[in-house]
Amino acid sequence: MFMNKYTPVIGMEIHVELKTKSKMFCACKNDLDLDKEPNVNICPVCTGQPGTLPVPNAEAVNFVQMAGLALGCNLRQESKFDRKNYFYPDIPKGYQISQYDQPLCENGKVKIDGKEVGITRIHLEEDTGKLVHPKGVDYSLVDFNRAGVPLMELVTEPDIENGKEARLFCQKLQQIFRYLEISDADMEKGQMRCEVNISLCTKGSDKLSGTKVEVKNINSFKFVEKAIDYEIERQTTLLEKGEKIVQETRGYDSNRSATISQRKKESAHDYRYFPEPDIPPMNFSDEYIENIKKHLPELPAEKKERFVAEYGVSGENAEVIISDKNLAQYFEEVVSEIKEKLNCDEFEVEEKKCLKLASNYIVSELQKHLVKNNENIKQVKITPENYAELVAIIASGKINSSAAQTVLEEMYRTGGDPSQIIEEKGLLQVDNEDELSSIIQEVIDKNEKSAQDYRGGKSKALQFLVGQVMVATKGKANPEMARKILTEKLK
């Protein structure tokens, strides 16, 4: 009941490692393979050796600006880098090159679940190294392979109100970054890391009147939702006991499904920001920004809208297909193959029917195999041409839905040609009326009671008889034709 007294106020900070060829301020290879041998992609610059100078990575700057435009941000025409001072073993210089008061992107928005989440800023910085804690010893080691990797940080407005909204927001961002091909944003690999700022305000009071608690480095969408929901409940319980919320940094313990206190939360002034003296300010012309806009790829929301309008795909199916850029590309290749087959008169079926079937089978049957085998569309052996042929065969009525599933399963396993599989397995649909009529008469004779039940008004008996026809034909009968012949014979 106490939940109704308070309004959760949630803002997020999302860190994303960018998929550039080299690191942020040096020529070292940007290799995000976490299993690589420690300290192989390092140099004097990214390990902070005296006398070295940073040189900004233009590709990383461009990637952040692409993300900003995709998320509706304004791009600053004047921007700069700053030094953010703090002292941890994984920061080789004793400071991080980041951005403070002139971020590359500002004032964007993302739509999720019927509402907008404002984006305050997107800026660019360098990632830190990684601390390794060997078991059974009293020291830690540092791997600097990750030090200096381009890191994009996105900060939201405090517009999120619960764990589900936060999860959907993060998933939407990951999808957009993958479409832009600026990052794989794989949370399990640390390529996308989420930090959540949560406070509670009494309903009717100032939105920012609560004490903010930060939960850092959450590494899955599921844990983002769980961490927020736990923290809301924890803070609510404390407030109801008359206790104060401590401004602090907490971590999420997935084994306990709880947040754990880590340290007192730093403020901006603790970092002693000042302009990076070794990197000149950046200036971007109108022409430069317009050129980025022109080269942005089609984004998920636009693709979904086009699939519905151009291909007649249902909104639900389109949502599933565009969720993965590679899956969306596969579908478009299938569409192209279908159109070519119909234009060459290989099959006499409606294009609209084929495209609808193509999307239906991708969302239902193909996705079922992908999930079962823990694979993605790039690993599938079925070529778009063979998939298109199967769809056209189904649309032509040459095989029924049961046989279609059998064929698709075999194609998924072997990558085989659908026509050959159908022939080898004898799955061609029986739609010869004379042949079916003879089989149906035998079914009626063997099931006289069901025939009488149907004649007596029990409509379910007809479905039973259709099923018996399918059994008699080993699933190869055309069910619509079987139903029609049965109905005529049972008059």
Side-chain angles (χ1 to χ4, degrees), residues 95-273:
Y95 62 85
Q96 179 187 38
I97 301 178
S98 182
Q99 292 190 289
Y100 181 48
D101 58 334
Q102 293 183 17
L104 287 165
C105 314
E106 297 173 307
N107 304 322
K109 59 188 175 184
V110 173
K111 288 186 178 180
I112 53 146
D113 217 16
K115 69 179 290 184
E116 285 186 352
V117 175
I119 295 173
T120 309
R121 56 186 281 146
I122 309 176
H123 66 260
L124 182 58
E125 58 192 22
E126 58 181 334
D127 209 345
T128 63
K130 182 178 70 171
L131 289 175
V132 180
H133 311 287
K135 290 183 179 179
V137 298
D138 60 354
Y139 59 81
S140 296
L141 303 173
V142 187
D143 177 7
F144 286 120
N145 279 339
R146 197 177 68 184
V149 166
L151 192 66
M152 175 174 69
E153 180 173 353
L154 180 151
V155 181
T156 77
E157 292 292 309
D159 293 335
I160 298 169
E161 295 183 6
N162 56 61
K164 179 187 175 186
E165 287 182 0
R167 172 176 58 79
L168 292 174
F169 175 76
C170 292
Q171 289 173 325
K172 186 74 170 282
L173 288 184
Q174 183 192 63
Q175 184 186 66
I176 290 172
F177 298 152
R178 287 178 172 179
Y179 264 73
L180 294 172
E181 296 184 353
I182 63 173
S183 176
D184 291 334
D186 190 323
M187 291 190 71
E188 291 185 0
K189 294 181 179 178
Q191 296 166 3
M192 179 172 170
R193 310 193 286 273
C194 299
E195 298 174 4
V196 183
N197 294 300
I198 310 167
S199 64
L200 298 184
C201 68
T202 306
K203 290 208 168 174
S205 64
D206 181 3
K207 186 177 181 180
L208 301 179
S209 60
T211 301
K212 182 172 64 175
V213 173
E214 181 181 40
V215 184
K216 290 183 74 73
N217 292 335
I218 310 171
N219 64 358
S220 83
F221 297 130
K222 179 175 70 175
F223 293 158
V224 166
E225 184 170 3
K226 286 189 171 185
I228 290 173
D229 291 344
Y230 173 86
E231 192 61 23
I232 291 171
E233 185 175 347
R234 183 188 75 86
Q235 291 187 30
T236 299
T237 301
L238 289 175
L239 291 172
E240 286 306 311
K241 289 180 179 178
E243 299 180 27
K244 288 187 177 180
I245 306 297
V246 177
Q247 181 171 326
E248 61 180 340
T249 295
R250 300 177 71 88
Y252 181 69
D253 185 334
S254 58
N255 294 321
R256 296 168 55 184
S257 294
T259 63
I260 310 296
S261 181
Q262 291 182 329
R263 65 176 185 268
K264 177 178 172 290
K265 170 67 178 164
E266 297 96 337
S267 299
H269 65 265
D270 295 324
Y271 294 126
R272 295 183 294 112
Y273 281 100

Side-chain angles (χ1 to χ4, degrees), residues 244-474:
K244 288 187 177 180
I245 306 297
V246 177
Q247 181 171 326
E248 61 180 340
T249 295
R250 300 177 71 88
Y252 181 69
D253 185 334
S254 58
N255 294 321
R256 296 168 55 184
S257 294
T259 63
I260 310 296
S261 181
Q262 291 182 329
R263 65 176 185 268
K264 177 178 172 290
K265 170 67 178 164
E266 297 96 337
S267 299
H269 65 265
D270 295 324
Y271 294 126
R272 295 183 294 112
Y273 281 100
F274 65 87
E276 169 55 62
D278 292 330
I279 302 177
M282 297 175 286
N283 294 283
F284 306 100
S285 66
D286 291 334
E287 292 77 14
Y288 171 88
I289 294 172
E290 282 301 315
N291 188 54
I292 298 176
K293 289 180 182 178
K294 286 178 184 177
H295 289 89
L296 280 181
E298 184 179 41
L299 296 171
E302 298 165 346
K303 193 176 288 290
K304 177 185 175 181
E305 188 176 326
R306 180 169 64 83
F307 279 12
V308 172
E310 189 174 333
Y311 303 141
V313 177
S314 70
E316 294 81 3
N317 281 359
E319 188 69 42
V320 173
I321 293 170
I322 63 97
S323 65
D324 178 350
K325 184 178 182 179
N326 293 319
L327 184 62
Q329 182 179 341
Y330 182 85
F331 174 70
E332 293 230 68
E333 289 172 1
V334 168
V335 169
S336 177
E337 292 289 346
I338 287 173
K339 288 176 178 287
E340 185 174 335
K341 289 180 183 301
L342 298 186
N343 287 338
C344 295
D345 296 326
E346 282 188 49
F347 297 91
E348 293 183 5
V349 288
E350 290 183 11
E351 181 181 297
K352 184 177 179 181
K353 183 179 181 181
C354 279
L355 299 186
K356 184 177 180 181
L357 278 171
S359 68
N360 286 345
Y361 272 80
I362 280 180
V363 170
S364 58
E365 297 305 315
L366 191 55
Q367 283 289 95
K368 178 179 72 178
H369 292 296
L370 289 171
V371 172
K372 179 182 176 181
N373 293 279
N374 193 28
E375 293 180 335
N376 60 59
I377 193 66
K378 294 187 81 171
Q379 297 168 287
V380 167
K381 297 175 182 176
I382 307 172
T383 65
E385 182 181 5
N386 280 343
Y387 187 92
E389 183 178 345
L390 174 63
V391 167
I393 289 170
I394 299 168
S396 303
K398 293 182 179 180
I399 58 174
N400 57 38
S401 61
S402 176
Q405 292 175 41
T406 300
V407 176
L408 184 62
E409 184 175 2
E410 183 67 12
M411 289 172 68
Y412 189 93
R413 189 178 67 83
T414 66
D417 177 85
S419 297
Q420 186 176 343
I421 294 169
I422 290 166
E423 185 177 347
E424 288 174 354
K425 291 184 176 290
L427 295 173
L428 271 179
Q429 190 161 255
V430 178
D431 53 9
N432 181 288
E433 193 163 341
D434 292 337
E435 185 180 351
L436 263 182
S437 180
S438 175
I439 294 170
I440 287 170
Q441 188 58 55
E442 289 179 15
V443 168
I444 292 173
D445 292 342
K446 289 179 181 179
N447 297 275
E448 290 184 9
K449 185 177 183 306
S450 295
Q452 290 302 323
D453 286 345
Y454 176 73
R455 292 188 180 105
K458 294 182 179 179
S459 57
K460 287 186 178 179
L462 182 65
Q463 189 56 42
F464 171 79
L465 292 169
V466 171
Q468 293 304 301
V469 173
M470 300 305 291
V471 171
T473 60
K474 297 181 180 180

Side-chain angles (χ1 to χ4, degrees), residues 17 23-26 28-30 39 41-43 45-48 90-93 126-130 142-150:
E17 290 182 338
K23 288 187 179 182
M24 186 61 231
F25 297 112
C26 66
C28 285
K29 184 180 179 182
N30 179 12
N39 297 311
N41 290 325
I42 60 174
C43 72
V45 175
C46 58
T47 56
D90 56 357
I91 304 287
K93 296 188 289 288
E126 58 181 334
D127 209 345
T128 63
K130 182 178 70 171
V142 187
D143 177 7
F144 286 120
N145 279 339
R146 197 177 68 184
V149 166

